[in-house]
Amino acid sequence: MKSSEVRTAFLEYFRSKDHRIVSSAPLIPKHDPTLLFVNAGMVQFKSIFLGDEKSRFSRAASCQKCMRAGGKQSDLENVGHTARHHTFFEMLGNFSFGDYFKKDAMLFAWELLTERFKVPKEKLYVSVYEEDDEAAGLWSKVIGLADDRIVRLGAKDNFWQMGDTGPCGPCSEIIIDQGSHMGCGKPDCAVGCDCDRFLELWNLVFMQFGRDEKGVLAPLPEPSIDTGMGLERISAVLQNKTTNFDTDLFEPIIRDISSLANIQYGSSHEKDASMRVMADHVRATVFMLSEGLVPSNEGRGYVLRRIIRRAARHAKLLNIHEPCLFRLIDSVSRAVGDIYPEIVTEMGRTEKLLKIEEEHFHRTIDTGMNRLDEIMEKVRQGGTGIIPGKVVFELYDTFGFPLDFARDIAMDAGLKIDEDAFRREMELQRERSKGNIGSFHLTAPMPAIKLYANAGRSEFVGYDTLTTSATVKYLYKDNKVVNVLQENEEGEIVLDKTPFYGGSGGQAGDTGIMTSGHALIRVTDTKKPNPDIYIHRVKVEKGSIKKDDAVFCNVDEISRKATMRNHTATHLLHRALRMVLGDHVKQSGSVVDPERLRFDFTHFSAIRDDDIKKVEDIINEKIWENLSVTTEIMSVDEATESGAVALFDEKYGETVRVVSTGNFSKELCGGTHCKATGEIGLCVVLSESSVASGIRRIEALTGKPALDHLKQKKSELEQIKNVLKTEKPLEKVEKLLDEMKSMEKEIQKLKTSSARDVISDALHNARELGGIKVVRMRQDGLNTDELRILADNVRDRLKSGIIVVSSVTDSQAAIVCMVTKDLTDRYNAGEIVKNISKIAGGRGGGKPDMAQGGTKDIAKLDEALESVYDIIRK
Ligand code: ATP
Ligand code: MG
């Protein structure tokens, strides 16, 4: 059975058992800051299991993309060393939300495995939680398993819980004995052993209890089922392979790696492990990049970076010394591209990013190598022969320089690394980063969803109208349900229906007023903690409001319309960016409110000014074309087919809302929009900047704020014109700058030439020493350049002789000496300046015909100058 057939057969089996087939949620759970990556099929149903959300169906099945790398549940270090662990894998799962329980979960799993998949019964074992007699009894009575096939294990293996509190319960695993040749050979090797012999295929979780703050378990009113089976593992079994890496999910990737490295798979244990690590990591990398994640130094991006580097390191161990992982994208796509279209559509971008990251890594290795050379030199001089673990760790931490690399290099140089110390540093680092997934662009923390669990659905009518009458269903104050809000009190209100948009998808919540009889209630914000609940934050300005009151709602039209302009313009911006910069542009976040729009997206360099102009021009052209904006509700599949731009961080329901602006753009979006693009009026891009590596941000204005911005610029320009007294300020400023430059020159000239008369005096006072004229003068206020010009002038007039000039400015004295060419065989300007400066407590020197020096000790200058004649005489 091909893996694609296994996947389909699984889902089809559960479809035939009345399960709703739900597509995989994205790997990256943007709305759950507590989780690095989705790591199990149940994650997308978490709020249903918690009772915060009502499911529209009671049975579901899925094939979920999972990542277990980084964070608490990481299998990163196992990869390559076991036959069964991956960082990225696909989890097949069936779920019951208060519907069937243990018995049916067992029946389904057993029937699928043994009848549909024909797994030999005699190879199967099950484990149950040691206290779960019910499960053990069902396996034996309903399924007919012999007692020696049912193994009881402790809480570590077979008791599951979602968190410290909340749903939990025993689990039961279905295990296949792969034969003693696959085992570790230890005498106590049995079900539960960590080796590859007794392979855990399928885990059935029986959500049976709720744990409260005190740790006390109480039976859940509606026990539920959550199961998970690794597609790679069951495929290996059904394809008669002893490792997941030999299945058709990995075979094409391994084959390409083997040909890149020119090494046969199976030729050595170590090389095989490297190939497996590469294959696993490249697959994970492709999935993560396809979802828009970018390598970085924190959080999820850091996990991605580590995985890429680890793969690149193993490529080096296979003697591939240039970027090569990006060449493997194609084989990943061949293996799973038809199931996960994002891999194919994002291929160009994935390739670009991966190549950049690999090149970066290779440079890193080179930098690290230089640093290591320096360190080794020091160690050699020190004579210990041992490289401290701490510095190797720093190399690892700052340059990503791997320990194995350092070890090999050190070994070649006859040195050793203190690896214990290295590991201690590593451990410290791990402690530091435990559970800390770094900072992301997360939306503001959700209000306590629990509080609103019973609030029920509110119907949203705000796409079509800004007013409606409605009934008050719930009132809250200070996180408690209340019956009434009095005058001047603040709180929250839930209605049966509402025209107020609840902030979500980057669009700010609506504001406005509600009235009820004589009561006036101001709505300051509207939130949507989950898709069906609308929470209005209110202040009662007049009168009071209580449960079941009828209210009339008025959304603030000016604010809402401004927000709509910004939202529709954001769609135009997104499309225009893709046109101008390329299809790698992908939204990574956005904020639209009445004031402005902010759009974050993937792109690899700063955007050139002329490209920004192009984008701005396209947007405004589309505004003036007055394209009609239409919305359609359709299934996710229809939406993908119609080419709507998908946003991976959204959690989609079964149907999606697609917003189109003419034929220009199409996006999945729940926001409110203009009826036609002409309503936007005008769009002005304010700024372009960097948010994180590979992510840029554009901020823009529309409508009145855009016009106000231009008006403001215009008024600034008017003021400038007034000050400059011209209609052509640019020309005028250029002219002024030119004038300023020539004035500066003039000033310099004046400063030196005003010394002319002084020159005459100095020449007049020149002394003759043995037939050689010596001119000495001090002219304060000149800098060194000016002083040199002065000396030049003296020399021109002196024709033959020695000149020493000095000047004090800014509490420093400068000295310049010149000896005319005819005398340089006998006198050296450099020597003369050196001696004078020395007497003045400073320094100087230069060439035989021209030299300069100086001192800070101005008091000594005159004395030094006095000595000139003596110096020359000597
Ligand atoms: P193991 O003990 O083998 O690591 P687990 O107890 O961590 O497995 P669960 O958390 O129960 O596994 O996940 C359910 C199923 O998902 C497992 O039975 C297995 O088939 C699969 N699975 C879990 N982790 C991985 C992984 N890292 N790579 C591939 N498949 C996995
Ligand atoms: Mg595990």
Side-chain angles (χ1 to χ4, degrees):
M1 237 180 166
K2 284 202 221 117
S3 55
S4 59
E5 289 165 343
V6 179
R7 200 188 285 108
T8 315
F10 179 92
L11 296 175
E12 283 311 315
Y13 174 82
F14 282 101
R15 193 197 297 278
S16 77
K17 304 287 178 194
D18 300 326
H19 286 63
R20 176 68 60 96
I21 309 306
V22 175
S23 40
S24 173
L27 274 178
I28 300 165
K30 278 248 172 98
H31 298 292
D32 189 348
T34 61
L35 191 63
L36 262 182
F37 298 103
V38 167
N39 57 9
M42 59 77 55
V43 173
Q44 68 168 316
F45 305 114
K46 211 165 140 181
S47 54
I48 297 175
F49 286 127
L50 282 169
D52 291 338
E53 200 184 323
K54 192 101 195 82
S55 173
R56 276 164 287 216
F57 33 81
S58 60
R59 302 174 171 201
S62 69
C63 175
Q64 172 66 48
K65 303 192 265 185
C66 294
M67 266 297 285
R68 291 191 179 180
K72 286 183 197 114
Q73 204 173 21
S74 176
D75 283 331
L76 186 66
E77 315 291 333
N78 285 333
V79 173
H81 304 294
T82 69
R84 66 183 196 278
H85 285 108
H86 306 293
T87 51
F88 170 87
F89 66 101
E90 293 174 74
M91 191 185 286
L92 302 164
N94 56 294
F95 309 90
S96 151
F97 311 120
D99 187 334
Y100 61 83
F101 201 44
K102 291 184 191 177
K103 186 179 88 197
D104 286 312
M106 290 174 187
L107 279 169
F108 290 149
W110 195 257
E111 181 179 61
L112 179 62
L113 283 180
T114 59
E115 316 244 321
R116 177 73 185 81
F117 286 157
K118 307 252 180 306
V119 177
K121 286 183 190 154
E122 61 278 10
K123 286 192 183 172
L124 294 180
Y125 288 79
V126 299
S127 70
V128 296
Y129 176 51
E130 55 197 359
E131 291 171 20
D132 193 359
D133 296 334
E134 184 190 8
L138 286 168
W139 279 121
S140 116
K141 279 186 220 94
V142 179
I143 308 290
L145 282 186
D147 282 352
D148 64 343
R149 296 274 151 170
I150 304 168
V151 183
R152 287 175 188 252
L153 295 176
K156 188 177 124 322
D157 286 302
N158 277 24
F159 196 89
W160 177 91
Q161 54 194 62
M162 199 181 285
D164 294 336
T165 59
C168 57
C171 15
S172 179
E173 299 165 334
I174 305 181
I175 292 144
I176 182 163
D177 180 4
Q178 307 224 78
S180 54
H181 62 289
M182 287 296 292
C184 54
K186 292 186 192 126
D188 57 349
C189 179
V191 170
C193 179
D194 255 354
C195 75
D196 281 323
R197 174 171 177 180
F198 294 99
L199 174 68
E200 173 190 332
L201 271 181
W202 202 340
N203 191 1
L204 318 179
V205 180
F206 310 132
M207 263 181 241
Q208 191 169 357
F209 305 109
R211 195 194 295 274
D212 69 11
E213 277 80 15
K214 295 194 194 86
V216 178
L217 298 184
L220 288 179
E222 296 192 325
S224 292
I225 291 290
D226 152 34
T227 87
M229 169 162 67
L231 172 71
E232 295 76 5
R233 293 190 191 180
I234 181 67
S235 297
V237 167
L238 298 182
Q239 291 169 16
N240 280 323
K241 307 288 187 190
T242 46
T243 92
N244 295 357
F245 293 94
D246 294 332
T247 63
D248 60 344
L249 286 163
F250 284 92
E251 197 268 338
I253 314 176
I254 300 256
R255 188 160 9 104
D256 278 10
I257 295 171
S258 144
S259 85
L260 273 178
N262 207 6
I263 297 173
Q264 253 200 328
Y265 184 60
S267 59
S268 96
H269 184 73
E270 259 152 40
K271 302 269 187 253
D272 283 1
S274 286
M275 288 192 209
R276 288 184 199 145
V277 172
M278 276 177 75
D280 174 89
H281 288 10
V282 137
R283 213 166 77 116
T285 300
V286 169
F287 273 95
M288 286 189 275
L289 287 173
S290 304
E291 282 196 17
L293 192 62
V294 178
S296 72
N297 284 332
E298 59 179 25
R300 296 170 181 136
Y302 185 56
V303 175
L304 172 57
R305 172 160 285 166
R306 267 184 68 199
I307 286 182
I308 295 176
R309 291 189 166 176
R310 214 159 166 261
R313 188 184 99 211
H314 281 275
K316 279 203 179 246
L317 292 176
L318 295 174
N319 284 323
I320 310 176
H321 292 290
E322 69 243 21
C324 66
L325 302 174
F326 73 98
R327 294 184 199 285
L328 298 167
I329 297 171
D330 200 46
S331 56
V332 176
S333 167
R334 263 181 282 134
V336 283
D338 51 341
I339 309 293
Y340 300 101
E342 66 270 22
I343 288 180
V344 182
T345 53
E346 298 301 314
M347 190 118 93
R349 178 179 170 281
T350 299
E351 189 176 324
K352 203 160 162 182
L353 272 173
L354 184 50
K355 199 161 163 221
I356 292 175
E357 184 65 13
E358 282 194 84
E359 280 162 358
H360 186 78
F361 174 74
H362 283 266
R363 276 198 303 278
T364 291
I365 288 286
D366 296 340
T367 326
M369 205 82 110
N370 290 337
R371 180 86 185 92
L372 184 61
D373 281 343
E374 282 168 27
I375 294 167
M376 292 199 305
E377 188 48 46
K378 261 200 208 131
V379 170
R380 249 185 241 115
Q381 283 167 6
T384 58
I386 300 210
I387 307 175
K390 194 165 169 156
V391 298
V392 181
F393 178 77
E394 275 159 14
L395 270 183
Y396 167 80
D397 204 34
T398 29
F399 302 110
F401 199 84
L403 174 64
D404 328 17
F405 256 61
R407 185 193 294 134
D408 288 348
I409 297 163
M411 217 154 66
D412 286 347
L415 301 174
K416 270 185 75 173
I417 295 171
D418 181 352
E419 294 196 20
D420 285 341
F422 180 94
R423 271 185 282 275
R424 274 197 301 276
E425 291 295 325
M426 191 83 158
E427 204 42 55
L428 284 175
Q429 165 91 335
R430 204 169 282 154
E431 281 302 320
R432 278 195 297 270
S433 62
K434 205 178 241 170
N436 168 18
I437 59 174
S439 45
F440 304 88
H441 304 283
L442 290 164
T443 43
M446 284 285 190
I449 301 181
K450 265 255 149 9
L451 179 65
Y452 311 121
N454 299 319
R457 291 182 70 129
S458 339
E459 184 194 352
F460 178 63
V461 296
Y463 287 129
D464 307 309
T465 174
L466 297 182
T467 56
T468 190
S469 44
T471 309
V472 175
K473 305 289 279 184
Y474 282 92
L475 297 146
Y476 304 91
K477 185 170 154 47
D478 301 330
N479 288 326
K480 280 186 201 77
V481 178
V482 292
N483 284 322
V484 57
L485 286 173
Q486 304 288 2
E487 191 159 304
N488 286 327
E489 283 188 339
E490 290 181 31
E492 286 161 340
I493 293 182
V494 173
L495 303 173
D496 59 341
K497 66 176 168 181
T498 179
F500 288 92
Y501 183 82
S504 58
Q507 180 177 331
D510 277 336
T511 56
I513 51 172
M514 294 176 193
T515 49
S516 172
H518 294 294
L520 176 68
I521 297 122
R522 183 153 310 275
V523 178
T524 54
D525 191 11
T526 311
K527 287 196 160 50
K528 199 165 80 169
N530 87 32
D532 296 328
I533 302 179
Y534 286 73
I535 309 289
H536 307 84
R537 268 223 65 83
V538 298
K539 171 151 196 221
V540 181
E541 298 203 331
K542 233 174 80 189
S544 65
I545 182 93
K546 59 182 192 309
K547 197 166 153 48
D548 298 324
D549 275 357
V551 290
F552 192 77
C553 304
N554 261 301
V555 175
D556 181 329
E557 186 173 346
I558 293 180
S559 296
R560 162 68 97 77
K561 286 208 163 149
T563 302
M564 297 199 311
R565 282 188 203 102
N566 283 332
H567 204 157
T568 307
T570 303
H571 287 206
L572 298 180
L573 170 64
H574 190 181
R575 179 79 184 97
L577 283 169
R578 287 173 78 99
M579 281 170 72
V580 173
L581 302 176
D583 281 344
H584 60 277
V585 168
K586 181 192 291 292
Q587 171 165 356
S588 74
S590 83
V591 175
V592 285
D593 60 29
E595 271 84 49
R596 45 91 206 241
L597 69 90
R598 195 177 87 187
F599 187 71
D600 296 348
F601 57 98
T602 44
H603 185 62
F604 315 106
S605 55
I607 305 173
R608 296 203 317 263
D609 281 349
D610 55 334
D611 279 341
I612 293 184
K613 282 210 190 73
K614 270 189 217 159
V615 167
E616 205 178 48
D617 285 347
I618 293 174
I619 299 172
N620 284 299
E621 271 161 32
K622 294 297 154 191
I623 291 174
W624 303 324
E625 281 176 28
N626 198 23
L627 304 171
S628 59
V629 182
T630 51
T631 57
E632 282 172 276
I633 307 292
M634 52 177 92
S635 73
V636 175
D637 291 346
E638 280 169 330
T640 320
E641 230 158 79
S642 77
V645 181
L647 305 176
F648 281 103
D649 51 335
E650 305 288 323
K651 186 182 162 194
Y652 295 126
E654 308 182 81
T655 55
V656 290
R657 188 164 176 269
V658 177
V659 175
S660 312
T661 53
N663 285 328
F664 183 64
S665 87
K666 208 178 244 277
E667 289 194 28
L668 303 194
C669 178
T672 60
H673 287 273
C674 304
K675 293 219 158 26
T677 55
E679 287 171 32
I680 300 170
L682 176 69
C683 178
V684 179
V685 172
L686 276 188
S687 66
E688 188 272 340
S689 58
S690 160
V691 195
S693 88
I695 302 204
R696 313 290 309 177
R697 167 172 297 173
I698 281 189
E699 293 189 272
L701 301 174
T702 64
K704 188 166 182 303
L707 185 63
D708 287 347
H709 175 76
L710 295 182
K711 275 192 193 156
Q712 161 78 13
K713 292 278 152 200
K714 193 172 163 216
S715 118
E716 271 169 25
L717 188 62
E718 286 307 321
Q719 286 172 25
I720 291 171
K721 284 201 264 181
N722 277 340
V723 172
L724 293 176
K725 298 194 175 51
T726 173
E727 277 307 304
K728 294 179 174 168
L730 182 64
E731 273 173 32
K732 181 82 181 254
V733 168
E734 276 171 351
K735 211 173 122 222
L736 283 175
L737 285 174
D738 273 352
E739 275 176 22
M740 230 166 86
K741 232 185 244 160
S742 56
M743 272 159 73
E744 267 165 14
K745 267 191 200 142
E746 192 65 19
I747 290 170
Q748 217 175 40
K749 231 196 265 160
L750 279 173
K751 269 198 204 160
T752 48
S753 65
S754 75
R756 288 241 150 169
D757 300 339
V758 198
I759 295 177
S760 301
D761 285 351
L763 286 170
H764 188 76
N765 292 333
R767 274 220 218 164
E768 279 213 17
L769 299 175
I772 291 165
K773 282 192 188 131
V774 179
V775 176
R776 197 203 81 180
M777 61 189 289
R778 173 171 166 179
Q779 182 70 23
D780 289 353
L782 304 183
N783 65 28
T784 319
D785 287 338
E786 291 161 351
L787 197 58
R788 229 177 338 190
I789 297 171
L790 172 67
D792 260 340
N793 288 338
V794 177
R795 183 170 57 186
D796 287 349
R797 288 169 63 182
L798 183 64
K799 302 283 181 327
S800 171
I802 301 174
I803 304 118
V804 175
V805 293
S806 73
S807 168
V808 173
T809 39
D810 299 336
S811 63
Q812 284 203 37
I815 304 161
V816 169
C817 174
M818 287 187 180
V819 174
T820 52
K821 283 271 192 255
D822 55 322
L823 300 176
T824 48
D825 52 341
R826 290 156 61 198
Y827 296 97
N828 186 324
E831 286 300 316
I832 297 171
V833 163
K834 201 159 115 191
N835 283 309
I836 301 173
S837 306
K838 203 150 113 200
I839 294 170
R843 290 201 300 178
K847 287 184 295 206
D849 61 330
M850 210 289 284
Q852 59 193 55
T855 178
K856 288 201 167 116
D857 202 346
I858 305 165
K860 285 200 185 139
L861 180 65
D862 283 330
E863 183 199 333
L865 289 177
E866 211 40 62
S867 65
V868 168
Y869 306 114
D870 284 341
I871 291 166
I872 293 174
R873 228 179 259 127
K874 277 183 208 148

